[in-house]
Amino acid sequence: MAAVRCIDICKTYLQGDQEIKALDHLSIEIEAGGFVCLSSPSGGGKTTLLNAIGGLDKPDSGEVWIEDQRIDTMSKGELADLRLRKIGFVFQAYNLIPVLTARENVEFVMQVQGLSPAMRRERSTELLNEVGLAGLENRRPAQMSGGQQQRVAVARAIASRPTLVLADEPTANLDSKTSDGLMDLFEELNTHHKTTFVIATHDQRVMAHVPRLVRMLDGRIVDDIEQNAA
């Protein structure tokens, strides 16, 4: 079963009196356990596609499927439940809750899921160790570097045991060494947890890491390349 299927999806935005085709009859299938990079110039459609896959935005037409569920016809409540159970998000701006510690940020989604305090603590400790933040569990975001905050965001994204992680420009605020480390971490998580990763980026270093590179332009796919990751 495919992790993601988009079938002939279209999305148009109005910019003044001009129509901008963010997605133009786009179709793509991503296998379960895949590791895919979406690349495009600014305005090329990669973030719009990522948002459609994550149910954050609905296409004007076409179909979006996550595993065996069609999501473009779901209600807001159904989408919220789907994201809680199946999708993890990593954003460029981290989106951590500033008054919470690293551990509390990671545990937040598990608390919403109804996991017991003991289970939340055990899993958050395991995940923070896995992303290289052992000993920093009680630091708040303001007490951490950008790279450390992004690693907390990654731990939070996979805390719910999602089958799919969507990352939008995850290395944009990071230096090259930290970016490489983050991509190594993504690859380890992909291998260890069999989680499907879809990353939207214009970072050449990120593109070099992935086994599948999908290039977009003006809302269409212009290249879909299988490559040997660096």
Side-chain angles (χ1 to χ4, degrees):
M1 182 188 300
V4 176
R5 281 187 298 140
C6 298
I7 304 171
D8 200 34
I9 59 174
C10 296
K11 184 70 179 181
T12 301
Y13 294 106
L14 281 177
Q15 193 171 56
D17 58 356
Q18 185 179 7
E19 284 192 348
I20 306 297
K21 287 187 175 180
L23 299 173
D24 187 6
H25 296 280
L26 182 146
S27 296
I28 187 172
E29 184 169 310
I30 298 169
E31 71 278 9
F35 198 129
V36 181
C37 175
L38 306 174
S39 170
S40 77
S42 180
K46 62 184 181 296
T47 296
T48 304
L49 176 56
L50 203 72
N51 288 343
I53 293 171
L56 299 176
D57 201 0
K58 290 193 177 186
D60 299 327
S61 61
E63 301 177 12
V64 181
W65 293 77
I66 301 296
E67 298 176 349
D68 59 351
Q69 293 182 283
R70 183 175 175 180
I71 71 166
D72 59 284
T73 57
M74 285 183 173
S75 67
K76 288 183 178 179
E78 289 170 330
L79 283 169
D81 183 62
L82 175 87
R83 287 192 290 264
L84 183 63
R85 291 182 296 104
K86 290 192 174 183
I87 306 175
F89 294 91
V90 180
F91 299 99
Q92 176 181 341
Y94 316 139
N95 287 5
L96 299 177
I97 301 172
V99 297
L100 300 184
T101 65
R103 181 190 299 282
E104 290 165 342
N105 266 283
V106 174
E107 289 187 0
F108 182 77
V109 67
M110 293 185 281
Q111 185 174 357
V112 176
Q113 285 183 317
L115 271 65
S116 70
M119 187 171 292
R120 295 200 303 265
R121 187 172 186 85
E122 179 183 351
R123 191 180 297 178
S124 65
T125 298
E126 175 188 325
L127 289 172
L128 288 168
N129 287 346
E130 193 168 355
V131 300
L133 294 177
L136 304 183
E137 296 89 349
N138 295 319
R139 291 194 184 181
R140 289 183 169 82
Q143 300 171 305
M144 307 178 85
S145 69
Q148 289 169 339
Q149 290 182 62
Q150 192 62 294
R151 285 172 176 263
V152 175
V154 172
R156 179 186 60 186
I158 62 173
S160 61
R161 302 275 170 87
T163 56
L164 173 65
V165 171
L166 305 176
D168 190 11
E169 300 283 6
T171 63
N173 298 322
L174 307 178
D175 60 43
S176 59
K177 182 179 179 181
T178 307
S179 296
D180 288 342
L182 182 65
M183 291 307 300
D184 289 340
L185 173 62
F186 280 177
E187 290 171 6
E188 290 170 15
L189 295 172
N190 173 253
T191 301
H192 182 63
H193 294 287
K194 306 302 181 187
T195 306
T196 306
F197 276 81
V198 184
I199 303 169
T201 190
H202 62 270
D203 187 333
Q204 295 290 337
R205 295 187 304 273
V206 173
M207 296 179 208
H209 270 273
V210 298
R212 182 179 175 191
L213 176 61
V214 176
R215 295 186 185 274
M216 299 176 60
L217 184 66
D218 298 331
R220 291 176 175 268
I221 292 174
V222 294
D223 278 309
D224 193 340
I225 306 163
E226 299 288 339
Q227 59 182 14
N228 293 320

